[in-house]
Every structure is written in structure tokens, then in C-alpha cells.
Amino acid sequence: MSIEVSRLTKQFNGIYAVNDVSFKVETGELIAILGPSGSGKSTLLRIIAGLEIPDAGEIHLTGKESTLDSPQDRNVGFVFQHYALFKHMTVEKNIAFGLEVRKAPKEKITQRVSELLELVQLKGLEKRYPSQISGGQRQRVAVARALAPQPKVLLLDEPFGALDAKVREDLRKWILELHEHTHVTTLFVTHDQHEALEIAHKIFVMNKGCIEQEGTPTEIFDRPATPFVAEFVGESNFIEAYVTEPHSVRWGPFHFPVNGHPIGEKMRLYFRPNDVYISSSPEAHQEKARILKTRFKGPTIELILQVADDKQIIAHVPKGVSLASGFKEGSEVFIGITEYHAFTDHTVDHSQFETYSI
Amino acid sequence: MDMETTPTLKRAYGTKSPQTSRFTEPSMVRWSIITVSTCFILAFVFAPLALVFVKAFEKGAEAYYSAVSDPDALSAIKLTLMTAAISVFANLLFGLAASWSIAKFAFKGKNLLTTLIDLPFTVSPVISWMVFVLLLGRQGWFGGWLDARDIKIIYAPAGIILSTIFVTFPFIARELIPVMQLKGNEEEQAALVLGASGWKIFFRITLPNIKWALIYGIILCNARAMGEFGAVSVVSGHIRGATNTIPLQVEILYNEYHMSAAFSVASLLTFLAVITLVIKKFAERKLQEEKTSSKILSMGENI
């Protein structure tokens, strides 16, 4: 079912946790709210669940105004960061809790619990206590418990935050499968861009209580709307430079075409390490550079390149390419930048930016 | 998901005992410290307790029975039980309310409230007596009002109960506050979102979580309520068969040279002490489990 949030605002001790946030989520969508810690993403989730009351703004669940409804009446499922499983109850009792307090008939509870145990692949563990199962299993009990009363919306607060890397990867795939199976509208909060990019249909990037950009993972990654998004999602080289000649920013040996900016205006340019094209012999639009350092990053090699006396950039090349081309510390290479994003602060409040991409 | 290797590793390290000689004192020092502390406990705790029973049964079981079934003794027992029941119940309500508000809400004056809870531990019972007399005594602020309605508090059971509540109120609150703070309220929030009402959340989530801390607090509170001497002594007026509790009865009997009767009645309190100790030990262990399990789970990690 749909969630519609308009002009939501919440302050804590005079600091905006959520600042004038509006968005709409359609039925069945899987949404990631991505942001650094303290960006207000968890608060936003808690407001939707009814665990916090907003200072201003409205929430519509399935088209019905629900801003001041109590959490009990909203019929949302919430998975807490540390799961908040009931420690004194077995897995089975945890899952059944939401049905029991709603006074569902006994046979129905038994049936639904066994259905969910199947769904979250925890058959055989129903009599265990939360302290007797692993972190990943606890996670899945928490999801099953939240899904038991058939909520309209599933909200997950940093669902993989407390788990180690391998388990997280498995659970990501599992959440995707689960969503394909249940089709329940899902919002999850994360500070991990990989999680958001991999799982979500759509990402809301949050910073300082505001949504900076809303879009599909590809849109967010390829066309960051603000410098913050460019910096936070994926890695970026960041340059601050002035428009030095008509329609162009000069930085070291590079010219970055920009349109409609007066000479002398300050620009902020971002480009990704994998948008740096490197070869050992010069091609068109390439400039000379020297490899200062190489760093092993698993499937890719990170190169720190000296492009001018006082200017360095970072590039990522696939391990195979690096080996084949014989890139090593000290060698001379030629580089070109294939894609970049340029921003200026237009207005006094430093919140309006322009994007150019080539 | 599968992290079964970690515990095995930990166990492997665990077998290598850190108790190597470098970290312990020379054996002479060790043994003399152990001897000193054991002797101290034997001389100051165990011997007096044992003596109580020896004295109580000095004149045989029959004399013991007649001493504790004397009407004055029975009335003292009754008053003690009633006082303990009422003050434990009152402090249960107070303790739950105080610890709930301190652990789960942020409000102005929270530190002050936390500090004030300990006041009965630090103040002399004489002060509380003076305050009660000032407020509720015949010449006190509310004395006239109470007199007009024929309500007696000072030198009456009501006064004994009031001052017992005053002396014992830190016990339950102090046990609950740290446990509640440790637990936070995520489980309650989870129950709330799942549709549980406030009462259901309290009885099905909060109460089971603090069960052992609560039992521990009740045990200590009860032991103190039954054994309290000073605070009760000053408001009781020592009216035999009416305002005497067990400890006061013991004092009277002793002062009147009924030695074995005094010890017989005193032995009841000693029994209570032993039972309390046993339950306390058990509750302590459970309480420790309660605390560690929530720590492990809140880390969201494997054990």
C-alpha cells in the first residue's frame, strides 16, 4: 500500500532531524533511505511507524491521513536495528506476538507462524530462544515477527548494520527474494551505499534532515543532483576550480567544458575514479601523468596519479587491465576523464546547485 | 550466517589458564588473607547467629514454642507481617514508577530524584521520627485534623508502617533502575508497533524482563521491613500487644531478663535472614543472566 509523506518536520532540542521532507512511495515498491549517521533517516522511519510524532507535516498510509494515529493502529511492520526480539520468548512466540495481541484465533496463529517459519527458512528453530540462535537468524525472526500481522508497510532500520560482511550479503539477497515473494511495500534505512544500490528500486539520499535526491540507483550513481550525493554515493575525485576562459574550467592540464558561467565563478567538479581512462600510449584528449602509488582493492587496482606538480587524482582500473598494461609505481601514463559533474553555488544559502554531465 | 567456528576458537584460548604464578601473590600472603577474612566472618557473623539458636533452644523445644506463641509475641509477629506486606506493596508501586521514569524518560530534576531515592540510607531514623512527629503528632501540623477524625498515626501501627516504608523505599527502586536502563525500551516499542496495548506491554514484555531484579528487590525490602529496629522504635511507643514488632518485642523481653524467650523470638528473625540469603543468592544468579543475555543480544552478535 502507498505511503505519502508531505512537508514532514521534526526537531530535537532545536536541531532539525527531519526538515520539510515530502515523498511518495507506491504500493509494492522497495525503497532505500540512504544517508550518513545523523542525517535523520531513522527518525523519518520512526515517524512513519508512529514511534515519533512530527512537529509539522502529514502522513497518508493507503491514502488515509494517519499522522497522529497510534503505532498500534497503523498496521506497519518495523524491524529494529538490534532486532529488539523478546528475549524471554521462543522464536515461535516472538512471531506469534503480533497476532496474539490482536486476538487472532488459535488455529490461525499456528498456521501463520508455521507459514512464516517456512518463508524465513527457520523451520526447526521454533522452540529456541533468541540467545540460542545466530545474528543472521535473529534478523530473520525479526522480519517474520514484523510480517506476521500482515502489515501494509514493512519498515527496516539499518537491517544489516549489526552483522558481519558475509552474512550481510546473504541477507541482502534474501530480502530481495522475500520482497519478490510478498510484494509488501518496503522502506529500509541504511548508511551503506552498496546495500541501497543493490537492493532498492528507488533511493532517497538524505543529508541533514533533507532529501537531497530521489531516484533509481542508476540515476543516483550516474547523475548526482548535489555535491553531497556525488561525494556520498560512490567514490569521487573532487576539484574546486574557477572558470578561467569562456565555457571552460582549467585545472592542471585538463579543460572541463562548462556552459553559461561567467569567468571567475567558482565551480565544484566531481568525477569517479572509474571514469578516468588510462592508457600507456597517448590518445585523443589525454594528458600525461605519473603513477605515484598503487593500492590493491580486490577486483580493482587503485592508482594515485600525479597530473601536475601540486595536483593528484585517484583512478580505479580492473586488475587484469592494470596487469596487462604494466601499470606500476613510477611509470608514465596518459589519462582522460570521461565523465564529470560540475556544481556551482548559485544562491546565498548554498543549497542550489546545477549539474552538467557529458 | 554460520559462525560456529568462533566459539570453538574462544574455547581453545580459554583452556590456557591465565592463572600463572606471575599474577598471584606468594602463597603465604594468599593464605593469611584467606584466614583473616574467614576468621572475621566466623567471629562476627556466624558465631552470633549460632548463639541465637543455642540460646533459643537452651530450655528445650517446649519453652521455645511457648515463647513464640505467647499472645504478645503473636501480636508482634502479626504486626510485623502486616507492616512488611504493606510496605513491600507500597514500595513495589513506588519502585516501579520511580525506576520506570528514571530509566525510560528524560526530564528535569531526574538526577535529583535519583539522588533522593538514596536518602533513607543516609539519614538517621531519628530525623524521620522528628519529621513524622512534626507533621502528624498531636502537636504537629496535621495533628489537629487527624485528632478530630480520631486517626492515630504516631505511636500506632500506621506510624510503624509509614516509617518502615520510608526506610525501605530505596531497595526495589535501586535494583530496578540499572536493569531498566540496560534494557532500554526497544522491546516495548516493538510490542507497540505490533499492536499491543500499554497493559499488555507491561505484563508481557517489561515485567518478564525485570522479573529477577524485582524479586531481588522485594526480598531485600521484605527482610529490612521485618527487621527494622531504629525507625520503628521511635514511632512505636512500645505498647505491648498493639504497637510492638518482632525486633521491639525482642528488646522488651531482653530488658525484662526473659533471656531465652528473647532469643526464641529473635530466632524467627534469624530464620528470615537465612531464607532471604538463600533466595537472594539464587535471584542474584538469575539477575546476572538477565543482564548478560540482554548485553549479548543488543550487540546483535553470535555467542
Side-chain angles (χ1 to χ4, degrees), chain A residues 181-196:
Chain A
H181 190 87
T182 59
H183 284 292
V184 59
T185 312
T186 305
L187 250 84
F188 73 97
V189 154
T190 180
H191 63 269
D192 184 330
Q193 38 160 321
H194 301 294
E195 244 163 58

Side-chain angles (χ1 to χ4, degrees), chain A residues 46 49-51 71-72 76-78 80-89 93-94 97-98 100-103 130-138 140 145-146 149 162-164 166-167 170-171, chain B residues 1-4 182-183 185-201 203-211 289-303:
Chain A
R46 293 170 60 82
L51 292 170
Q72 291 105 318
V76 299
F78 199 102
F80 290 81
Q81 188 176 358
H82 299 294
Y83 322 135
L85 294 181
F86 307 133
K87 294 169 206 74
H88 58 286
M89 293 184 200
K93 281 278 168 197
N94 264 282
F97 187 85
E100 279 174 11
V101 296
R102 281 162 211 249
K103 301 201 169 68
S131 61
Q132 298 167 329
I133 58 178
S134 75
Q137 289 166 340
R138 275 176 215 151
R140 288 186 278 158
R145 183 179 68 180
L163 300 165
D164 52 90
K166 186 75 191 79
V167 181
D170 291 343
L171 278 171
Chain B
M1 236 149 294
D2 190 359
M3 292 228 336
E4 306 309 318
L182 189 71
K183 302 261 170 199
N185 49 11
E186 265 210 336
E187 283 186 46
E188 279 84 359
Q189 290 181 6
L192 191 69
V193 180
L194 285 167
S197 64
W199 283 112
K200 272 204 182 117
I201 294 174
F203 283 109
R204 294 204 47 187
I205 309 296
T206 309
L207 209 53
N209 265 332
I210 57 166
K211 186 172 60 189
E289 283 171 23
E290 215 169 74
K291 283 184 184 168
T292 38
S293 84
S294 81
K295 257 187 221 155
I296 289 165
L297 283 187
S298 68
M299 292 189 309
E301 267 306 322
N302 239 347
I303 28 166

Side-chain angles (χ1 to χ4, degrees), chain A residues 41-80:
Chain A
K41 53 194 193 313
S42 288
T43 307
L44 182 58
L45 207 66
R46 293 170 60 82
I47 293 174
I48 297 171
L51 292 170
E52 305 280 355
I53 295 166
D55 300 335
E58 284 183 3
I59 302 165
H60 291 258
L61 299 173
T62 332
K64 181 181 157 279
E65 144 93 269
S66 313
T67 318
L68 296 175
D69 284 359
S70 75
Q72 291 105 318
D73 298 334
R74 294 190 189 210
N75 198 15
V76 299
F78 199 102
V79 177
F80 290 81

